[in-house]
Amino acid sequence: MCGISGFIGSLTNRIDFSGVLRKMSDKISHRGPDDDGFLETTTRDNRYRIGLAHRRLSIIDLSTGHQPIGNEDGSVQIIFNGEIYNYHSLREELIARGHQFVTASDTETIVHAYEQWGERCVEYFRGMFAFAIWDARHERLFLARDRFGKKPLFLYEANDVLLFASEVKSLLIFPGVNVEVEPEAVWDYLMYRYVPAPNTLFRRIRKLMPGCYAVWEKGKLTERQYYQPPDREAFSEIPLPADPVGAFLDKLDEAVKIRMISDVPFGAFLSGGIDSSAVVGLMSRHSSQPVKTFSVGFSESKYSELAYARAIADQFKTDHHELVVSQEHLIEHLPALVRFRDAPVAEPSDIPIYLLAKEARQSVKMVLTGEGADEFLGGYPKHVYERYSAWYQKIPGFARHGIIEPLIQALPYRFRRAKTAIVNLGLEHFEERMPRWFGALSEAERKDLVAMPRPRVLLNSVQFNSSSESSALRRILYFDQTSWLPDNLLERGDRMTMAASLEARMPFMDHELAAFVSNLPDNFRVRGHQTKWILREAMKRILPPKILERPKVGFRVPVNEWFQGPMRDYLYEHLTGTASITRNYYQMKKLEKILADHAAGRQNHEKLLWSLLNLEIWHRQYLR
């Protein structure tokens, strides 16, 4: 796992390129503290200057993996962030085709795959990646990002200059790149709680979309999509394996095994839920030493899952480590984590994940996690409830809005999932309902709270362009896989682990496993009210019943209680104090009512208030 950055810019616009490449690299040194490498060159006509910078976290081929890495004659050079898990078989195929290797690195495999297959090389890789290749023969820059967006790549284009980097902060170093807020992104943020791709909160800075590559040639950048999650299409009947559950287990086991390839010590994050427990159980099959496991809990016992994690650690005899966090950790680390993410911290769980990553980094350099299981196997309550949206909307509006919804909203906090379901099922449009399941505000709620002028909203269409013939489950999973996952959870996973110089790998997000699951009927994922059915069935062979049968808790941080108690003054100062930058974004009377209702326990607005607090912290970090 590493960090990359670079530029290609016209030498006619009088930008001082000297020294800026190292500064861009230094800004993301946490992503690669083990080594750095640079390449600077010009096009043959001396019109464009090209710079590539690499920060290395050494995981594979510790001795000869220095980057940039080139082909036999040095005409093709790469900087790479990620891991290619099938590089051994690709290497053998490329050697058979006449390519010569000088390292044992998976990075060099990409170079020769590009030589062999050109832009189509991305279709051969099984892994997570973001890379940049300078092809001097054709004077072409080739940028690519993995299928599901596990590895980030940000772009900036202006004044005949193209910048790219693993993190936004690297781009902000470049001369002439100014911090300006993108109003449309703020508007979307207040619905999603994150900024959907390709936008960011920074004007002119965007994300290269997952499953896409971009080619710069003769001053022009062209972006193309090479992959779509298979759940985009309606289910197509194909013959099932004789034992679908056994076949699924074999696929998952292989996905875990190939992600254990490493030349450094590694372990696993263990929450005690079925996803991470499954990963740890399968890792134990393939390790001759006890798997190192790392768990985090909270001082508030009802939110802590450490006992469940400990039970799994005991069962598989892992080398187990635990960490307990409190609200003091949140206040202490939150501003720094906003800087690491270059965006509002969308989930309170970012903080304990970062602290856990720091704890794990003391003994390992890489971990496996259970990320992605919910989004590919149907693990959230919304995957059950969404099927009822058409039925619920047949109830007359006066009954829904005048009777049912007020009654549901008046229920105590412990009924929060029922409240969320009723509010969201009542939203008529799929494009509004999807982000609102986990989001902050509906369209009507934004209009009610927000005082800033409403921009022309341009929702990214990719997350909503699944087949109209698809089932409700496949449509919502496609949204999760193209928006909620890459723009929120994977961003969190990348920034919070890399902030601690730790690599995270996600077996459930193997694209071959995703294709297998997508070829199964819906009831292999959600059966009745049972989520992740096939995983639960497969794990009956490995995990104890108390893990399989426990209700889904989710990785909840007790922000509700903290905002009512020890963090109340901190929250009010940031949102309504005289130093608040964003207070003018809102109708103040409406915001004060939201704060008062939450403080008094009349309504739980923790998601919204967390989002507003982080938006304010982001403004303070970047606009002062």
Side-chain angles (χ1 to χ4, degrees), residues 172 176-181 201-203 205 618-619 622-623:
L172 300 179
V177 179
N178 300 315
V179 175
E180 298 178 68
V181 180
L201 282 172
F202 299 90
R203 182 172 288 176
I205 295 177
W618 180 86
H619 279 71
Y622 290 94
L623 296 183

Side-chain angles (χ1 to χ4, degrees), residues 28-39:
I28 54 174
S29 60
H30 52 278
R31 297 187 68 93
D34 297 334
D35 189 19
D36 60 11
F38 304 90
L39 171 71

Side-chain angles (χ1 to χ4, degrees), residues 85-96:
Y85 304 121
N86 63 331
Y87 78 98
H88 285 301
S89 59
L90 282 175
R91 177 189 176 99
E92 292 175 3
E93 180 177 353
L94 290 163
I95 289 175

Side-chain angles (χ1 to χ4, degrees), residues 152-163:
L153 195 59
F154 294 91
L155 307 176
Y156 172 93
E157 285 185 278
N159 304 318
D160 213 8
V161 171
L162 168 66
L163 310 177

Side-chain angles (χ1 to χ4, degrees), residues 166-371:
S166 297
E167 298 184 15
V168 169
K169 59 179 62 63
S170 184
L171 305 180
L172 300 179
I173 292 296
F174 199 85
V177 179
N178 300 315
V179 175
E180 298 178 68
V181 180
E182 177 54 70
E184 290 182 4
V186 173
W187 192 260
D188 280 348
Y189 171 81
L190 293 173
M191 173 180 276
Y192 288 75
R193 295 193 295 122
Y194 57 88
V195 178
N199 296 328
T200 71
L201 282 172
F202 299 90
R203 182 172 288 176
R204 292 180 180 262
I205 295 177
R206 69 183 191 278
K207 308 166 191 175
L208 180 62
M209 298 288 285
C212 289
Y213 63 80
V215 178
W216 180 97
E217 200 165 11
K218 297 179 180 178
K220 181 181 179 182
L221 187 71
T222 303
E223 297 180 37
R224 299 185 180 94
Q225 186 170 30
Y226 69 89
Y227 179 81
Q228 282 271 26
D231 281 331
R232 179 180 185 271
E233 303 302 328
F235 174 69
S236 179
E237 293 281 353
I238 63 172
L240 295 179
D243 177 12
V245 174
F248 166 81
L249 182 57
D250 289 343
K251 285 281 188 184
L252 178 59
D253 184 65
E254 183 205 16
V256 169
K257 182 179 179 180
I258 63 174
R259 282 162 179 79
M260 295 172 67
I261 298 172
S262 174
D263 294 330
V264 297
F266 61 88
F269 283 171
L270 176 60
S271 70
I274 186 174
D275 307 335
S276 62
S277 298
V279 170
V280 169
L282 294 174
M283 288 177 72
S284 299
R285 289 179 166 186
H286 305 293
S287 178
S288 59
Q289 301 294 323
V291 175
K292 294 181 182 294
T293 52
F294 304 90
S295 301
V296 63
F298 305 99
S299 49
E300 292 83 356
S301 59
K302 69 178 180 178
Y303 291 99
S304 187
E305 298 185 276
L306 288 177
Y308 293 106
R310 204 172 299 129
I312 294 298
D314 290 342
Q315 176 177 344
F316 294 105
K317 298 180 174 56
T318 72
D319 179 4
H320 192 54
H321 305 257
E322 294 182 350
L323 181 69
V324 176
V325 301
S326 66
Q327 55 89 18
E328 286 84 3
H329 292 100
L330 191 149
I331 294 175
E332 175 186 356
H333 291 284
L334 188 52
L337 295 189
V338 169
R339 289 197 301 274
F340 275 123
R341 190 158 177 170
D342 293 317
V345 172
E347 304 294 332
S349 53
D350 285 26
I351 291 92
I353 288 174
Y354 165 71
L355 294 172
L356 187 62
K358 285 186 65 178
E359 172 70 19
R361 186 60 176 83
Q362 296 180 38
S363 54
V364 301
K365 293 181 77 170
M366 181 269 283
V367 293
L368 272 64
T369 80
E371 200 74 88

Side-chain angles (χ1 to χ4, degrees), residues 67 69-71 76-87 90-91 94 99 101 103 105-122 124-133 142-144:
Q67 298 185 38
I69 286 178
N71 62 342
V76 176
Q77 298 281 337
I78 187 174
I79 50 175
F80 165 54
N81 169 29
E83 304 288 351
I84 305 299
Y85 304 121
N86 63 331
Y87 78 98
L90 282 175
R91 177 189 176 99
L94 290 163
H99 295 269
F101 284 72
T103 77
S105 169
D106 58 338
T107 308
E108 191 180 4
T109 305
I110 304 175
V111 174
H112 295 293
Y114 171 78
E115 284 188 291
Q116 184 65 42
W117 297 299
E119 297 167 3
R120 291 188 56 240
C121 67
V122 290
Y124 291 80
F125 302 143
R126 189 176 181 183
M128 53 183 182
F129 54 84
F131 61 78
I133 291 177
F142 181 60
L143 304 169

Side-chain angles (χ1 to χ4, degrees), residues 369-557:
T369 80
E371 200 74 88
D374 291 319
E375 291 76 20
F376 287 89
L377 301 179
Y380 297 124
K382 66 177 182 177
H383 296 136
V384 174
Y385 298 144
E386 174 64 19
R387 72 182 77 159
Y388 301 120
S389 59
W391 173 84
Y392 181 69
Q393 288 169 24
K394 290 179 181 178
I395 300 175
F398 74 89
R400 283 190 283 123
H401 305 313
I403 302 173
I404 298 174
E405 290 169 15
L407 288 174
I408 291 292
Q409 289 287 19
L411 291 173
Y413 173 70
R414 67 179 181 274
F415 296 99
R416 65 187 183 281
R417 286 180 175 166
K419 295 164 77 169
T420 299
I422 289 297
V423 169
N424 292 337
L425 291 176
L427 298 174
E428 180 179 351
H429 298 292
F430 180 82
E431 291 80 0
E432 184 178 11
R433 199 163 61 249
M434 285 305 98
R436 186 60 180 82
W437 275 112
F438 285 158
L441 299 171
S442 66
E443 178 73 7
E445 289 166 335
R446 277 189 297 183
K447 292 178 180 177
D448 193 32
L449 172 64
V450 180
M452 60 190 294
R454 184 181 185 278
R456 181 172 56 92
V457 179
L458 297 174
L459 287 175
N460 167 30
S461 62
V462 170
Q463 58 201 305
F464 302 123
N465 71 353
S466 56
S467 170
S468 60
E469 298 178 358
S470 285
S471 64
L473 176 62
R474 291 175 77 90
R475 292 185 75 198
I476 195 170
L477 287 171
Y478 180 77
F479 170 83
D480 289 342
Q481 294 161 17
T482 57
S483 184
W484 168 256
L485 189 57
D487 294 328
N488 184 15
L489 300 189
L490 294 181
E491 257 192 39
R492 170 188 70 187
D494 177 82
R495 299 315 179 279
M496 296 305 102
T497 54
M498 291 309 295
S501 303
L502 182 76
E503 174 179 310
R505 300 178 179 179
M506 295 141 283
F508 283 105
M509 297 194 64
D510 184 276
H511 79 274
E512 293 189 7
L513 179 64
F516 174 85
V517 171
S518 186
N519 282 329
L520 298 174
D522 284 1
N523 65 357
F524 277 82
R525 290 191 269 192
V526 176
R527 183 165 295 193
H529 285 187
Q530 180 68 270
T531 57
K532 291 184 289 197
W533 180 86
I534 193 168
L535 177 62
R536 296 180 192 279
E537 288 297 302
M539 287 302 112
K540 286 179 179 178
R541 310 174 189 191
I542 296 175
L543 300 179
K546 65 180 178 181
I547 298 297
L548 297 173
E549 296 169 4
R550 58 177 292 220
K552 183 175 179 64
V553 176
F555 192 26
R556 292 202 65 248
V557 179

